[in-house]
Amino acid sequence: MELFLQTLLNGLLQSGIYALVASGLALAVGVVGIVNFAHGEFLMIGAFLAWALSAYLGVDPLISLPFAALAVFGVGALTYRVSIRHVLLAPELNQMLLTFGLGILLQNVALMWLGGNTRTVTTPYQGSSLSLGDLSVGGPKAVAFGFAVAILAGLYAVLYRTTLGRQMRAVAQNRRGSQLIGIDVDRVYLIAFAVSCALAAVAGVLVAVLLFASPTVGLVFALKAFAIIVMAGLGNLTGVLWASVVLGVSEALVQTYVPGGGGWSDAVFFLLIFATLVFRSFRGAR
Amino acid sequence: MKKMLLTGVLLALSGAGAVKVGVLLPLTGAGSVSGQAARSGYLLALDEINRAGGVLGKPLEVEFADDGSSPAKAVPEFVKLVTVEKVDFMAGGVSSATSIAISGPAKQYNTFMAWIGAAAVPVEDAFADHPYFFHYHPWSYYNFEAILGYFKTLKTQKKAKNIAIAYEDGPFGSAGIADTVAAFKKAGFNVVMTEKFKTGSGNFGPIVSKAKAAKPDIFYWVGYDTDALPLATEIKQQNLQLGLLYGTPPSWPVGFEKNKLSDNVAGLSLWLPASPQAESRKFVAAYKKKFGTVTEEYFAPLAYVNLKTLAAAINKAGSTDKDKVAAELARTNTPTPFGPLTFSKSNKTQYQGFKAGNWLHFQFLGDDRVPVFPIRFAQKPMVWGK
């Protein structure tokens, strides 16, 4: 029973990181309508910023978090201006090719500039944990989970309680109609895309604390984030947390109770995507 | 006469006729930590060789190529070095996957290969019948032999009995895992857990929970540098009580030794800057003089030894004739930072350099990697966690 409860807890804590990565991606898909295959690379930039500030200036990653978010917000805005806005009316395949290429470019620039080395961040709280009887809750993962909940709640509040949020929802529903009523669609897209990148950076900072920074660190999490937004329904922010929990707990259960389950963790999320899509199509047909 | 003299001088100045060694390394990509370290080792050796008069009376030339840690890139780079650059000898080679990929062209062109890495047994199979393949790095079964020897000592001295194994599910971790488990059992250990994981996922929560239930004395993991910190973090967070956490990644994350979570984590290395051999001290001093730092990566001294011994064999052979150079290299008996180097048969290849006895076991103690076994090289007593 103790192993089962710890497994559930492991899955729940892991889902916090997944939700953090997926929330930004869900915003880009939901508002801008673009599947950003470079999302993992914006996460990587956040991770490296946290590492660099920690290694060279001794800044704790949690303190560097707002700076990393702001910096990557700027990178995201620039990326939107230079590239994304030019393909928004292009076929989806062109959009995907652009973001995919952007991801490869960023990854290779990082490889050439920083090399393939894995970098780690050192903090006094990395190994901290809270004991609940015989169960243990990892401190940084619990913080990541808390961040995910707070960010998703904040995003929800912005979308449903502010003028900018209403504009975002309007633009997401009908781009041309929004233009007709005087919304600066381009500005809204820029903000949404840049915020999406900033959220990836926030996830990157926490990933640097929990795991490591490397040019390829974003790939694993971007794939999981895609699975989550498909499960949640494209653009559905509120579903992101639940989908993340389903993915995290499913992986933990498979890893613990299926023989050789550690090798199946990638298969778990593909299976969940498959099951979700089949279920959706079945429900749609009725 | 003057014309002939002038031609001779121009020929010498142009470097025509100089011995060329092609070096294929992963300078970018996943294996770049080892590849870059090896490149530094080659550059240091090249300096020393040319300062001492070069090879066959001329400066030695080295042509580097980057295999990008990818077999698909390694093959054209290898072929280019052999056919376009027309190198006399090939050196380098870190990754097993890239070495397998180039085994075809290596045999096709009957290339002389002084190879520093590629420890996987499939590489040994691929080059088993190649007459000019000199392998410096121990094969993986020698690595395991060293690990098993150390663990047997822990069994005797620390009453270590239960081993939990976590291995990455790619070829590096998975190949031979059944043999590993069988060998541990044969040596009298209880293998209480054998779990695979996705390298780089950082998701060690469930594996550590399972290990906690299995109560191991030693947690043995076979993975990459990306797995080191997440695993150590999870073990600490779940308060898994271990005698020893022992890993065998090809390289460790940059700055891992400065992280408190690395304390007492143990691993395997062919060499450490603190190695006591005189040749090692000489290498460290020369390296520091050239690069201003000290490397922790054993691929640097391995590449250094590789080029120095190859150059010595060419000089002794008096020509670049492959058979003569192979005969001289086969007779190598020289002190190195790893101990004496001689070549003898391995399970399948003719010329194998370092073997199980060259491995050192170290622990991260304080902010350093400190040799703890074999006892004759130990600089501090090993810290056993139970």
Side-chain angles (χ1 to χ4, degrees):
Chain A
M1 190 60 185
E2 184 194 322
L3 181 61
F4 178 70
L5 291 175
Q6 185 65 55
T7 300
L8 291 183
L9 204 51
N10 290 337
L12 190 68
L13 292 172
Q14 187 70 17
S15 68
I17 307 165
Y18 293 163
L20 264 179
V21 187
S23 58
L25 193 63
L27 190 68
V29 174
V31 177
V32 190
I34 191 159
V35 181
N36 182 14
F37 282 105
H39 193 70
E41 278 61 47
F42 289 106
L43 179 150
M44 176 265 290
I45 295 173
F48 268 118
L49 281 172
W51 166 79
L53 288 169
S54 168
Y56 294 111
L57 300 175
V59 180
D60 188 281
L62 291 181
I63 295 172
S64 67
L65 200 142
F67 298 104
L70 205 62
V72 179
F73 179 93
V75 175
L78 187 69
T79 306
Y80 175 83
R81 277 274 179 232
V82 172
S83 61
I84 304 292
R85 68 187 295 211
H86 303 294
V87 297
L88 284 177
L89 297 177
E92 281 173 357
L93 182 64
N94 293 17
Q95 298 177 0
M96 288 182 190
L97 283 173
L98 173 73
T99 58
F100 191 67
L102 187 65
I104 290 174
L105 177 74
L106 290 171
Q107 199 180 104
N108 280 281
V109 166
L111 270 169
M112 283 192 291
W113 189 23
L114 301 157
N117 296 6
T118 300
R119 267 90 169 183
T120 59
V121 170
T122 300
T123 69
Y125 47 81
Q126 254 165 339
S128 65
S129 61
L130 182 71
S131 293
L132 300 172
D134 289 330
L135 307 178
S136 75
V137 182
K141 278 191 179 174
V143 169
F145 191 85
F147 261 105
V149 173
I151 282 171
L152 285 167
L155 273 179
Y156 190 84
V158 168
L159 283 174
Y160 288 91
R161 299 276 183 276
T162 67
T163 307
L164 177 66
R166 275 193 288 277
Q167 288 177 345
M168 281 183 179
R169 284 188 292 133
V171 167
Q173 280 176 15
N174 190 326
R175 176 191 167 101
R176 183 156 294 178
S178 304
Q179 275 173 325
L180 288 173
I181 60 168
I183 295 174
D184 184 348
V185 173
D186 195 45
R187 178 178 155 273
V188 173
Y189 278 163
L190 181 141
I191 293 172
F193 189 80
V195 169
S196 155
C197 295
L199 290 176
V202 170
V205 171
L206 290 168
V207 162
V209 175
L210 288 162
L211 311 175
F212 52 86
S214 86
T216 52
V217 70
L219 186 66
V220 175
F221 293 97
L223 282 175
K224 304 268 159 113
F226 281 117
I228 288 162
I229 62 168
V230 168
M231 274 194 285
L234 292 181
N236 178 6
L237 276 172
T238 48
V240 163
L241 190 61
W242 301 117
S244 303
V245 171
V246 168
L247 178 64
V249 171
S250 305
E251 279 186 352
L253 288 170
V254 167
Q255 283 179 316
T256 305
Y257 291 107
V258 175
W264 286 96
S265 53
D266 279 357
V268 171
F269 80 89
F270 278 118
L271 192 68
L272 284 172
I273 294 176
F274 179 73
T276 308
L277 292 176
V278 168
F279 175 71
R280 288 236 174 84
S281 64
F282 174 71
R283 207 172 55 172
R286 283 192 357 195
Chain B
M1 185 67 187
K2 272 184 184 172
K3 201 174 173 183
M4 273 177 66
L5 194 66
L6 188 65
T7 309
V9 170
L10 285 174
L11 202 66
L13 286 174
S14 71
V19 178
K20 280 173 87 172
V21 176
V23 175
L24 187 68
L25 290 173
L27 299 174
T28 56
S32 63
V33 176
S34 304
Q36 293 286 355
R39 186 171 185 274
S40 301
Y42 281 120
L43 290 174
L44 179 61
L46 187 65
D47 270 5
E48 291 186 7
I49 291 162
N50 284 336
R51 258 204 315 272
V55 173
L56 305 179
K58 291 186 177 161
L60 179 67
E61 287 182 16
V62 168
E63 191 79 36
F64 287 102
D66 177 16
D67 68 26
S69 308
S70 150
K73 200 171 170 222
V75 173
E77 290 294 339
F78 179 88
V79 173
K80 187 180 160 205
L81 284 171
V82 174
T83 60
V84 180
E85 304 294 341
K86 297 195 183 307
V87 299
D88 300 288
F89 304 93
M90 277 297 299
V94 168
S95 138
S96 295
T98 55
S99 299
I100 291 170
I102 61 167
S103 63
K107 287 176 188 169
Q108 183 188 343
Y109 298 110
N110 206 21
T111 312
F112 193 107
M113 296 172 74
W115 227 230
I116 53 169
V121 169
V123 181
E124 190 184 22
D125 293 334
F127 285 96
D129 54 352
H130 190 60
Y132 305 119
F133 185 70
F134 286 78
H135 191 244
Y136 285 60
H137 194 288
W139 294 113
S140 56
Y141 49 82
Y142 294 126
N143 310 358
F144 184 68
E145 190 183 324
I147 293 165
L148 189 61
Y150 180 41
F151 286 8
K152 279 179 181 171
T153 306
L154 296 176
K155 190 168 161 241
T156 311
Q157 293 180 352
K158 307 290 180 186
K159 309 289 175 223
K161 187 79 178 161
N162 298 333
I163 298 178
I165 303 172
Y167 62 98
E168 67 95 28
D169 66 347
F172 175 62
S174 298
I177 196 70
D179 293 338
T180 300
V181 173
F184 278 139
K185 285 182 178 169
K186 195 179 167 195
F189 291 100
N190 299 325
V191 179
V192 293
M193 185 192 89
T194 312
E195 283 296 323
K196 55 170 90 164
F197 61 88
K198 287 272 171 216
T199 200
S201 71
N203 192 0
F204 285 102
I207 283 180
V208 172
S209 297
K210 278 178 97 166
K212 202 173 171 185
K215 296 184 171 48
D217 301 310
I218 299 170
F219 192 113
Y220 171 53
W221 65 277
V222 190
Y224 290 96
D225 51 350
T226 51
D227 308 314
L229 185 62
L231 179 60
T233 304
E234 199 65 52
I235 284 173
K236 169 84 173 156
Q237 286 180 349
Q238 292 200 33
N239 195 25
L240 170 60
Q241 296 296 314
L242 291 170
L244 195 67
L245 170 59
Y246 190 95
T248 57
S251 57
W252 293 83
V254 175
F256 186 60
E257 63 278 0
K258 306 282 180 206
N259 194 309
K260 279 279 162 211
L261 291 165
S262 74
D263 281 355
N264 308 339
V265 174
L268 192 67
S269 183
L270 265 183
W271 170 85
L272 291 166
S275 295
Q277 285 98 332
E279 287 301 313
S280 175
R281 288 201 298 271
K282 272 199 272 180
F283 170 80
V284 170
Y287 190 95
K288 201 170 179 180
K289 192 176 171 194
K290 181 168 173 63
F291 299 106
T293 55
V294 178
T295 180
E296 298 265 348
E297 300 297 330
Y298 69 78
F299 270 97
L302 196 55
Y304 172 84
V305 168
N306 178 241
L307 194 62
K308 293 272 275 190
T309 49
L310 178 61
I314 299 167
N315 272 332
K316 279 183 193 163
S319 78
T320 54
D321 179 89
K322 283 191 275 193
D323 288 315
K324 287 180 183 170
V325 174
E328 288 301 336
L329 193 54
R331 278 196 277 273
T332 297
N333 188 349
T334 184
T336 74
F338 311 97
L341 171 66
T342 55
F343 287 97
S344 58
K345 280 187 179 175
S346 69
N347 280 356
K348 286 169 191 160
T349 51
Q350 187 71 21
Y351 307 111
Q352 172 59 38
F354 299 110
K355 292 188 173 175
N358 294 100
W359 285 110
L360 290 172
H361 305 268
F362 68 88
Q363 252 183 323
F364 288 97
L365 297 172
D367 289 346
D368 282 316
R369 302 179 198 190
V370 180
V372 291
F373 192 83
I375 296 300
R376 66 184 185 280
F377 296 132
Q379 293 183 346
K380 281 186 185 172
M382 188 206 62
V383 177
W384 180 252
K386 283 195 164 180

